[in-house]
Amino acid sequence: MRGQRSALSRREALILQTLINHPWLLHDHLEEVAALEMAHPEANKLRAAIIAAFASDHHQSPEPSEQAEKMRADLEARGFSQILQRVELAITTGRYGAPSFRRKGGRSFHLASAGLLASPVAFLT
């Protein structure tokens, strides 16, 4: 794979990481997540695996952190460890521990300063 499609986009990585960390979002947004167009083939595979894991009752745990742990364990058991690492690498940590992105030219876009941390669902639309 070469060119634009060879690297997982930050947008796709952030969406996927948000769903892994907050599987409960799929309760109300499963159809939207399933319909998302992702350019990278691995992003599509991981999204399908996240949906399949969600269908395996990971959303039934009372603790959100437990939901995320179960989701990650299921994905790793299904052979997605390398893709999970690439997703994490596509997202860097910025000020105050909030996710940020490196733009061309070295400037950062910080989610906290953009007001995007309040609602993880904002990334899905």
Side-chain angles (χ1 to χ4, degrees), residues 57-115:
D57 289 334
H58 292 292
H59 59 288
Q60 298 300 325
S61 177
E63 282 293 318
S65 62
E66 193 175 306
Q67 294 173 16
E69 289 171 16
K70 287 181 176 182
M71 175 67 76
R72 177 170 288 284
D74 192 339
L75 295 171
E76 288 174 353
R78 294 172 187 240
F80 286 92
S81 295
Q82 288 183 346
I83 298 174
L84 290 170
Q85 289 175 353
R86 284 194 285 278
V87 166
E88 290 171 359
L89 288 174
I91 303 170
T92 61
T93 303
R95 297 182 286 186
Y96 316 113
S100 67
F101 302 114
R102 295 278 176 222
R103 290 183 178 170
K104 292 180 182 175
R107 291 181 36 207
S108 293
F109 171 73
H110 298 279
L111 298 178
S113 62

